[in-house]
Amino acid sequence: MEQVVFEDVLKARERIAGRLPVTPLDLSMELSDGQTQVYYKLECQQKLKSFKCRGALNKMTSLTPEQRAKGVMAISSGNHGAGVALAARLEGVDQVKVYVPLCTPKAKTDKIRWNGAEVVMAGEDYDKCHAIAMEALAREGMTYIDPCSDVEVIAGQGTIGLEILEQQPDIDTIVVPIGGGGIITGISVAAKHLKPGIRIIGVQTAACPAMAASLRDHTCYLEYPIGETVCDALVGGVGEIPYAMAESCIDQVLVVEESDIRAAAAFLLKQEKVVAECAGAVGVAAFRAYPELFQGHHTAIVITGGNLDAGLMTQLLTEA
């Protein structure tokens, strides 16, 4: 099994430097109190309103001419597909196909199409979409860009960890959403190399706690049952590389309820004036649900995406 190392993250930063912005690390006046300092790493302000373009662009720059000529395929709940489409456009790769579940928000499919990729909507949820897409990949022979179990993709996401500690060296805890596990793996590789004692805490929705279950059962669940959720970006199974590296990369996994996630996204909108999709707000939900874990610490919460569906935004703003 391949492993991601710190040098991979440094190489990723060289590749994407100047092509993607360094996102803000903002102190929260609402959550900070005395010795407890909380910062938001605003990946919801990254290009396409998601961190995913970091890994996608790093991967795209590493492809051989032969791999590019085959065209690229991605399977995505939305943000990864948009990132791949953007990276392909920037790198001049003409043929791009992105498979997404039927439930994917329009805000995300619009960005994929706008960047020139073909969108194929298939399957009621991510795992069903994944199965359909992998059959198509075997037939068509395109170059597959995995969202969470690829060294270059994970290393690209790891550049977030470099930025956090450069922006605020006092950070001792980083809170990261977990879907397939790519972003938390990359951030941890970078952060733990620079600051070995730092805590890396992952957060999952109770509707699909695949990593928590994988670690509990000592089994890598590549697929996992998906309950009703507003976190379309945190569904499906765990990537093989993130699972293999979890013991060294993740200090704790917290599971939060859907009601707490909705409340956190509404809190960010109303109190912090931050637009975060619900999957991007799970770190705030964890902070509010488990405040004792963060007292006296300097914590960075990664807000991974801001592609909040307009209808859901309206609901969140009207909920108590």
Side-chain angles (χ1 to χ4, degrees):
M1 177 67 62
E2 291 184 286
Q3 300 278 298
V4 183
V5 297
F6 184 66
E7 288 70 22
D8 295 322
V9 181
L10 293 180
K11 186 182 296 184
R13 178 153 71 174
E14 291 177 3
R15 287 171 170 165
I16 68 176
R19 307 182 77 184
L20 298 177
V22 173
T23 54
L25 184 72
D26 282 359
L27 180 67
S28 168
M29 292 186 294
E30 297 289 338
L31 298 184
S32 299
D33 180 17
Q35 296 302 307
T36 301
Q37 300 290 299
V38 180
Y39 297 81
Y40 298 135
K41 181 58 171 169
L42 295 174
E43 287 298 294
C44 54
Q45 295 182 16
Q46 183 54 265
K47 283 191 177 182
L48 303 179
K49 309 304 180 188
S50 167
F51 74 95
K52 288 286 191 176
C53 54
R54 293 176 183 262
L57 183 56
N58 186 46
K59 178 65 176 181
M60 201 71 65
T61 62
S62 75
L63 297 182
T64 65
E66 292 76 19
Q67 290 172 320
R68 292 169 181 244
K70 292 178 181 178
V72 298
M73 177 186 288
I75 307 165
S76 174
S77 58
N79 287 335
H80 173 64
V84 168
L86 171 65
R89 180 167 64 82
L90 293 175
E91 285 293 300
V93 177
D94 296 327
Q95 188 180 2
V96 187
K97 186 177 291 188
V98 179
Y99 279 77
V100 300
L102 294 169
C103 58
T104 304
K106 185 175 182 296
K108 296 183 178 182
T109 57
D110 283 350
K111 289 185 178 181
I112 298 172
R113 292 190 178 96
W114 190 89
N115 281 284
E118 176 186 354
V119 175
V120 181
M121 303 191 74
E124 293 78 16
D125 58 36
Y126 182 84
D127 284 341
K128 291 183 176 64
C129 178
H130 187 275
I132 294 168
M134 293 308 287
E135 291 177 0
L137 182 66
R139 293 193 306 269
E140 299 174 24
M142 301 178 79
T143 299
Y144 177 53
I145 299 185
D146 192 294
C148 59
S149 195
D150 179 283
V151 169
E152 283 79 21
V153 171
I154 294 171
Q157 327 301 25
T159 58
I160 299 167
L162 298 178
E163 291 177 14
I164 288 172
L165 288 177
E166 288 167 354
Q167 291 166 314
Q168 180 47 263
D170 290 339
I171 294 294
D172 60 40
T173 301
I174 303 178
V175 182
V176 190
I178 299 179
I183 182 175
I184 194 170
T185 304
I187 288 175
S188 182
V189 167
K192 284 183 177 289
H193 180 91
L194 295 172
K195 195 170 186 176
I198 199 167
R199 288 192 305 170
I200 307 295
I201 297 177
V203 187
Q204 295 200 286
T205 169
C208 190
M211 181 64 85
S214 294
L215 295 176
R216 180 194 66 213
D217 299 341
H218 305 288
T219 299
C220 182
Y221 290 119
L222 299 176
E223 297 183 357
Y224 199 81
I226 301 168
E228 186 174 347
T229 180
V230 290
C231 298
D232 57 272
L234 299 182
V235 296
V238 173
E240 292 179 323
I241 294 176
Y243 173 73
M245 296 184 66
E247 184 175 348
S248 61
C249 287
I250 304 173
D251 294 292
Q252 188 171 5
V253 177
L254 302 176
V255 177
V256 289
E257 299 297 329
E258 286 286 310
S259 58
D260 291 332
I261 297 167
R262 293 177 71 99
F267 165 80
L268 285 168
L269 280 169
K270 296 175 183 178
Q271 303 302 122
E272 301 280 25
K273 308 303 183 281
V274 170
V275 178
E277 59 194 82
C278 289
V282 295
V284 174
F287 183 92
R288 286 154 56 98
Y290 304 97
E292 68 282 357
L293 293 178
F294 304 98
Q295 292 302 308
H297 289 278
H298 290 193
T299 299
I301 300 176
V302 184
I303 310 297
T304 47
N307 290 304
L308 181 60
D309 180 76
L312 180 54
M313 182 187 294
T314 300
Q315 291 178 28
L316 294 173
L317 287 171
T318 56
E319 289 176 0

